[in-house]
Amino acid sequence: MKHKNGYTIPELLIVVGVLGVIALVMITKVSYAFKEINNPEEQKEVTKSLVEQASIAYAKSKKDEYKKESETYIFAKEVASAGFLFEKEEYNTMKVKISYHQESNSFQAEVVE
């Protein structure tokens, strides 16, 4: 009775080939994702959306203040200094309009630069 200790060359080649195909597919998918992220217009839209969502969370945390007025204007720097965003230089001038809708009891934020 002979015991097999290890893998044969064809088995190893098959495993390496499958791993190579998986790596090739992943590299192409990831490179397309980074290509989209490196687009300046795409970055601007993502930043704008991030600031709007963080501003909504900020307004909800201070809802008593923001429910009094139907519209309030703040700078994104205020949202960042409250801990809802990472500090960035561009937030110093980015202006956000926060609206409170009484009928739906919800906040909406829009970057108005």
Side-chain angles (χ1 to χ4, degrees):
M1 202 191 269
K2 190 174 183 182
H3 292 286
K4 186 177 175 183
N5 292 330
Y7 299 102
T8 63
I9 300 270
E11 290 172 333
L12 291 173
L13 287 175
I14 290 171
V15 169
V16 168
V18 169
L19 290 175
V21 169
I22 291 172
L24 181 66
V25 169
M26 292 302 297
I27 287 171
T28 56
K29 295 287 183 185
V30 169
S31 69
Y32 283 125
F34 282 116
K35 185 177 180 182
E36 298 263 332
I37 289 174
N38 288 331
N39 181 353
E41 288 299 316
E42 185 72 23
Q43 283 181 345
K44 189 174 182 177
E45 286 300 314
V46 168
T47 301
K48 183 178 170 182
S49 177
L50 181 67
V51 168
E52 289 172 350
Q53 294 302 314
S55 297
I56 290 172
Y58 176 69
K60 285 180 180 177
S61 73
K62 296 184 170 255
K63 60 184 162 191
D64 293 334
E65 277 181 47
Y66 291 108
K67 280 185 176 181
K68 293 175 185 174
E69 311 243 350
S70 61
E71 288 183 357
T72 307
Y73 291 89
I74 62 170
F75 284 100
K77 181 180 181 180
E78 183 179 336
V79 178
S81 63
F84 288 90
L85 288 169
F86 288 113
E87 296 283 341
K88 277 183 143 180
E89 189 67 33
E90 65 187 293
Y91 296 154
N92 291 340
T93 58
M94 194 176 280
K95 196 173 187 181
V96 181
K97 178 176 88 172
I98 297 176
S99 306
Y100 175 67
H101 301 285
Q102 209 166 25
E103 56 276 351
S104 62
N105 193 25
S106 64
F107 290 97
Q108 184 179 1
E110 179 184 358
V111 174
V112 291
E113 294 185 288

